[in-house]
Amino acid sequence: MKKIRLTLFLTGILTSYAHAQSDSTSLSYYFDDGGISTGTMYKTDLISIIHGDWPIIAEIRLKNNLTLEMGAGLLMPYYVHDFLALAFTDNKGIQNDRLGYSTRLHVKWYTKAPERNYWGVQYYRRSFHHVKVNEWFFTKGDQRIIGKRLILDMALGLGVRFQQTNGPDYMFDPDFGFFPIMPLMIRFGVIP
């Protein structure tokens, strides 16, 4: 009877020891999303659409925790920079019958895998008839994979806007071309 108890006791201890070893050494299991985030993700920025910029953005993985977003957009004739500008100025945006374009580059460093919390630096250029706008800002965001293929990416930025006006269409005082900004980004996308 003592041999059976001793055997069960040692089996229990060795099993729990082996189980603890397998849990502590397989950390990659917790950081693996099944290969979903290894490809290119395609997104659009919902806040930009409200402002009059219709972008298509591709996010490409460079390393396990580093990605690059590249995008291009079409600026509508009713384009506005942001809602704060509408609240604090008399000018209600850029009104013109011509379309414009936008480009953006955004480098993201993810602090948690798979692609969750991130810090980033974004360059955003918009060209609309006589107005050229360049923005540089730092971002802090959270990207979630919803289901198997949908993405929700929310971020807040802090940076500066440089604006050059060469004609009658302007939103702010054309002599003052430097503005602090705090952009909000809500991007929705898909993993093909």
Side-chain angles (χ1 to χ4, degrees):
M1 187 67 161
K2 285 186 174 185
K3 287 184 181 180
I4 294 175
R5 286 184 190 168
L6 181 62
T7 304
L8 290 174
F9 177 73
L10 289 175
T11 304
I13 289 178
L14 291 175
T15 304
S16 65
Y17 178 75
H19 181 69
Q21 284 297 317
S22 67
D23 280 352
S24 63
T25 57
S26 63
L27 291 177
S28 63
Y29 170 79
Y30 298 106
F31 295 108
D32 185 19
D33 64 353
I36 291 175
S37 59
T38 57
T40 302
M41 296 177 260
Y42 298 97
K43 308 176 193 177
T44 191
D45 191 339
L46 301 178
I47 300 293
S48 290
I49 291 173
I50 293 170
H51 290 272
D53 181 5
W54 292 75
I56 297 174
I57 304 163
E59 183 173 352
I60 302 165
R61 173 178 251 171
L62 301 176
K63 293 192 174 203
N64 283 340
N65 60 348
L66 188 68
T67 63
L68 174 67
E69 277 188 352
M70 298 179 294
L74 184 64
L75 299 179
M76 297 291 116
Y78 62 86
Y79 178 74
V80 295
H81 288 297
D82 54 41
F83 296 116
L84 289 176
L86 293 176
F88 296 111
T89 64
D90 292 333
N91 297 319
K92 298 302 180 193
I94 300 170
Q95 299 293 328
N96 199 319
D97 57 351
R98 297 182 187 178
L99 298 173
Y101 69 91
S102 68
T103 56
R104 64 186 80 206
L105 288 174
H106 191 183
V107 178
K108 294 180 178 180
W109 178 71
Y110 288 91
T111 57
K112 289 185 178 179
E115 297 182 350
R116 241 341 256 279
N117 298 319
Y118 65 84
W119 293 90
V121 176
Q122 180 167 327
Y123 171 70
Y124 187 22
R125 177 177 172 79
R126 290 167 283 184
S127 180
F128 190 89
H129 194 48
H130 296 298
V131 180
K132 310 290 187 262
V133 179
N134 294 295
E135 295 178 352
W136 287 93
F137 49 91
F138 294 99
T139 58
K140 169 67 174 116
D142 184 60
Q143 179 167 284
R144 307 275 175 130
I145 298 174
I146 303 168
K148 292 186 178 183
R149 300 285 177 205
L150 299 178
I151 302 165
L152 179 62
D153 184 355
M154 297 175 288
L156 186 63
L158 184 63
V160 293
R161 173 183 298 143
F162 301 98
Q163 178 174 316
Q164 177 185 5
T165 305
N166 296 326
D169 298 328
Y170 59 87
M171 182 169 195
F172 299 105
D173 182 358
D175 297 328
F176 184 69
F178 172 81
F179 308 94
I181 58 171
M182 196 165 148
L184 172 66
M185 295 163 279
I186 300 175
R187 296 175 177 167
F188 187 73
V190 65
I191 303 168

